[in-house]
Amino acid sequence: MNSRLIWSISVLARRIWFRATLFSLAAVATALLAIVVTPYIPTDLSTKIGADSVDNILGIIASSMLTVTTFSLRASGD
């Protein structure tokens, strides 16, 4: 009985709608958590971080994603 339950969960987890549902639930949970945590975040935090540092971080992420995409497309083309 236990192995059949594990097999059923494994089959269910491979479905694309199941994964999309999990990501949607995670997004809703994150939004609700943000509502709860908001009073504890200092209001001047956005001025401390600054737009320049956010721009730098986004640039690093974009270049990393471009590198990963380039190598994954090259590997799949071989």
Side-chain angles (χ1 to χ4, degrees):
M1 177 69 180
N2 193 14
S3 62
R4 181 164 172 81
L5 178 64
I6 292 172
W7 178 79
S8 297
I9 291 172
S10 174
V11 169
L12 181 66
R14 290 186 191 132
R15 303 284 181 158
I16 194 163
W17 64 266
F18 182 76
R19 293 180 188 171
T21 302
L22 285 180
F23 280 115
S24 299
L25 290 175
V28 170
T30 303
L32 293 175
L33 181 67
I35 292 171
V36 173
V37 174
T38 299
Y40 302 108
I41 299 175
T43 55
D44 62 340
L45 184 64
S46 61
T47 57
K48 289 181 181 177
I49 293 176
D52 292 334
S53 57
V54 173
D55 187 41
N56 289 338
I57 292 171
L58 289 176
I60 291 168
I61 292 172
S63 63
S64 300
M65 290 175 66
L66 179 63
T67 304
V68 168
T69 303
T70 301
F71 284 114
S72 67
L73 289 177
R74 179 162 170 87
S76 66
D78 289 341

